[in-house]
Amino acid sequence: MYSAPALQLPMLDADAPRLLCVEVYERKPLSYLTETAAGLLTQLAADTVFVPSTTRTREQYHRIHLPGPAPEFAICANGGHLLVDGVSDPGWQRQVAARLADECASLAEVRDHLLAAADPAWLLKERIAEGLFAYLVVERGLLPEGWVKELAEWAGGRGWTVSLQGRKIYAVPQPLTKSAAVREIARRTDAEQILAAGDSLLDADLLLAADRAWRPGHGELADSGWIAPNVEVLDETGVVAGEEILRRFSLAATPPPA
């Protein structure tokens, strides 16, 4: 699923794939799949336990209207909320809260540092997501060289991870992971294998936890050259990569003929 600036269509307009809008915000179309991807996703959801996994808050996730039946499970807030039929599992929330209290610095400490270190010349806004992590929206072209790296080093010593995605700089507790939530869903569903895809540093733990995973040719992981033995690197970028990932998922999830 991609916003208009992130589509990265490599072909001429006449050859570009048809798009399906799957998110509207403030009465404006915001995010898209190709129509081919929509068909692949509908079939995949019928054949597997399809689990949307995102750093979005629950409110942001519920703006999305993917094709096919609503997923039974979804992961929001980078693993902070495990949704079951659209509702956050309270037992999972308690487990997450206990890990955060025991294993990393507080959100208040990290937020205070973010605001003290940021420059109003390039800081557009700051937000707290679900009371779990913080992020800044910035004018990326004005960011001082090395600022994000320095922030990551400071945060890493306090059990937090920093991720730069587009105009957003995320500061997320290291115990708050998509992989932990995915393992819990796999346990509940007796899953035989986990397939995953992602393009940001906050997806790396999820890709490593999967039996097979795919990394597109765009995004934070591609920019850093990140690889792992169980992760296939794709050349495709943008919305075309999303379509190709769904093809790979479908092939991997289809049992071989008897």
Side-chain angles (χ1 to χ4, degrees):
M1 191 182 77
Y2 298 85
S3 65
L7 291 173
Q8 298 188 31
L9 293 172
M11 64 285 290
L12 298 174
D13 290 350
D15 300 320
R18 291 169 58 89
L19 299 175
L20 174 68
C21 179
V22 292
E23 181 183 13
V24 175
Y25 181 57
E26 294 182 345
R27 301 185 180 182
K28 297 178 182 178
L30 190 62
S31 302
Y32 303 85
L33 302 174
T34 69
E35 289 188 349
T36 298
L40 290 167
L41 183 57
T42 299
Q43 186 60 52
L44 187 71
D47 296 339
T48 68
V49 179
F50 167 61
V51 182
S53 181
T54 180
T55 307
R56 285 172 174 248
T57 64
R58 287 170 290 174
E59 179 183 359
Q60 291 167 338
Y61 168 72
H62 284 303
R63 295 201 305 249
I64 303 167
H65 298 282
L66 295 173
E72 180 182 1
F73 298 100
I75 297 165
C76 294
N78 211 64
H81 288 281
L82 194 165
L83 305 189
V84 182
D85 293 325
V87 178
S88 186
D89 184 303
W92 182 254
Q93 288 183 48
R94 288 192 292 271
Q95 290 184 48
V96 168
R99 287 201 301 272
L100 297 184
D102 292 341
E103 300 176 24
C104 63
S106 70
L107 172 61
E109 178 184 349
V110 173
R111 184 193 187 195
D112 287 347
H113 181 83
L114 281 173
L115 293 178
D119 188 331
W122 46 260
L123 177 62
L124 300 177
K125 62 182 76 170
E126 65 91 16
R127 292 288 185 269
I128 298 297
E130 301 270 18
L132 295 168
F133 61 90
Y135 65 92
L136 308 178
V137 181
V138 303
E139 286 286 1
R140 185 160 175 169
L142 299 179
L143 271 178
E145 184 176 356
W147 191 88
V148 174
K149 182 179 179 181
E150 290 177 7
L151 176 64
E153 291 172 352
W154 179 90
R158 290 157 178 80
W160 285 63
T161 295
V162 170
S163 172
L164 174 61
Q165 302 177 37
R167 298 194 306 159
K168 292 182 179 178
I169 301 172
Y170 291 91
V172 178
Q174 291 174 4
L176 191 68
T177 64
K178 296 170 185 172
S179 60
V182 164
R183 289 191 185 99
E184 174 63 15
I185 294 170
R187 184 190 67 81
R188 296 187 189 189
T189 59
D190 295 320
E192 296 179 359
Q193 68 171 338
I194 298 173
L195 309 175
D199 61 13
S200 83
L201 182 61
L202 298 177
D203 295 321
D205 69 284
L206 174 59
L207 303 188
L208 291 172
D211 297 288
R212 296 182 64 185
W214 289 265
R215 191 212 81 188
H218 66 259
E220 196 175 20
L221 295 180
D223 291 344
S224 67
W226 185 90
I227 58 173
N230 65 319
V231 177
E232 297 179 39
V233 175
L234 303 180
D235 293 328
E236 291 86 355
T237 63
V239 73
V240 176
E243 189 176 295
E244 181 60 23
I245 286 168
L246 287 169
R247 289 195 184 93
R248 303 291 180 103
F249 276 177
S250 296
L251 288 172
T254 302

